[in-house]
Amino acid sequence: MEMNREKLCASKAEVSSDSAYHCSACHDDEEWSSANRGRAKSRSLSASPALGSTKEFRRTRSLHGPCPVTTFGPKACMLQNPKTIMHIQDPASQRLTWNKPPKSVLVIKKIRDASLLQPFKELCVYLTEENNMIVYVEKKVLEDPAIANDDNFGPVKKKFCTFREDYDDISNQIDFIICLGGDGTLLYASSLFQGSVPPVMAFHLGSLGFLTPFNFENFQSQVTQVIEGNAALVLRSRLKVKVVKEHREKMTVQNGIEENGVVPTNIEKEVGKQIMQYQVLNEVVVDRGPSSYLSNVDVFLDGHLITTVQGDGVIVSTPTGSTAYAAAAGASMIHPNVPAIMITPICPHSLSFRPIVVPAGVELKIMLSPDARNTAWVSFDGRKRQEICHGDSISITTSCYPLPSICFRDPVSDWFESLAECLHWNVRKKQNNFAVEE
């Protein structure tokens, strides 16, 4: 009698647990019958499904395999946590849609590249005259003599809205972004938006083009398709970085501009401290700077010291940045849809110090070691380079504002095509087969 009562309670617990952890990815593909709702289901992540047992084992189209089960055995289950901060979405289901038709577009052009002048003019004429859109252009782009002295481009240029980096806030005025250039234009677009980022359409007109999947030959039809919506998206996670510096007498800030002319981003003042925040798409690089000594920095994860980096420095990168500086330093390449943060040492003075991947959402903290001989330097996507002294700290975690990059085909196909075309991944001569003897 006691055993039957125990089994009945366990069965009810499993049913309630399954209903509490409803997986939208599974239920979007298949409808669950009323018979399945009324009985407990036993599924395993490690065991292979039996043939013909699709009702017992559902696989989504996600890169992450089967949908996670939150019951383990007859009595164990996952503790319900109302503070869950992220969920894994099927990459194939990430599609662009518009709540309202887009009216404003930011066009970012690579500076000091004469070959981009004609594509820039053609795109702007198409957006303003044929689509009647409001075009935002950075002021220094229009100062190019080839654009400023072009009389035929004058009527179109008068319709532009201009802005200056670090002075004008356009974050709430842009519906989507078009980049003309290489990967640097996408990184620059990310730096302009420290909060929510509009969808980005990047045309390959630069040197590498790993992050720019579109070709400019048929730009009219491609831009029209994006304006109409229903395009594939890849959400490129960014890093939220907070730099806390001890206030020193030699650093004086007047009207938000430092002595060296650099305007800090989101600067805040506290008693004896200076706090700056950045949104980073590729990586945060901490290095030894001009010093001849090894860098000596401590790395903390969620408040616990995990290691001390002795070498040229350390790279903290997103999956998007894993194919940039991190790959050159020997790290693995990670697909942008994988929620992770990569820690890669730069020329470490230890043969066993290998790159590691930690879960997205953890908080990393980097500080100078107490016995460090020299200071360190930090940069964010290659910009805003500054010195880190004793008492300063760099806090890094996953940002809740990803960069939505519009795909040419889909997130998986675009990524592998970039590996093949740009990095020549696994390119070698094929091995000859044995000749078949008659």
Side-chain angles (χ1 to χ4, degrees), residues 11 14-15 18 33-42 55-56:
S11 176
E14 290 178 355
V15 173
D18 279 344
S33 63
S34 59
N36 283 340
R37 293 192 185 97
R39 61 182 179 87
K41 296 170 288 297
S42 59
K55 292 183 179 180
E56 297 296 330

Side-chain angles (χ1 to χ4, degrees), residues 94-162:
Q94 295 174 178
R95 309 287 299 181
L96 171 65
T97 186
W98 301 103
N99 296 325
K100 295 180 180 179
K103 293 297 183 182
S104 59
V105 56
L106 169 63
V107 178
I108 297 179
K109 170 188 165 297
K110 184 179 178 182
I111 305 297
R112 297 186 299 273
D113 192 340
S115 64
L116 298 184
L117 293 177
Q118 188 61 31
F120 172 75
K121 295 176 182 178
E122 293 178 7
L123 176 64
C124 292
V125 170
Y126 175 75
L127 292 173
T128 55
E129 296 185 356
E130 298 192 27
N131 287 278
N132 196 25
M133 301 192 73
I134 302 173
V135 177
Y136 284 78
V137 179
E138 195 170 7
K139 193 172 183 179
K140 61 184 179 182
V141 172
L142 299 182
E143 294 173 354
D144 191 313
I147 296 178
N149 300 329
D150 191 347
D151 296 334
N152 296 328
F153 195 60
V156 178
K157 188 172 60 176
K158 292 179 180 179
K159 299 179 182 179
F160 289 162
C161 295
T162 60

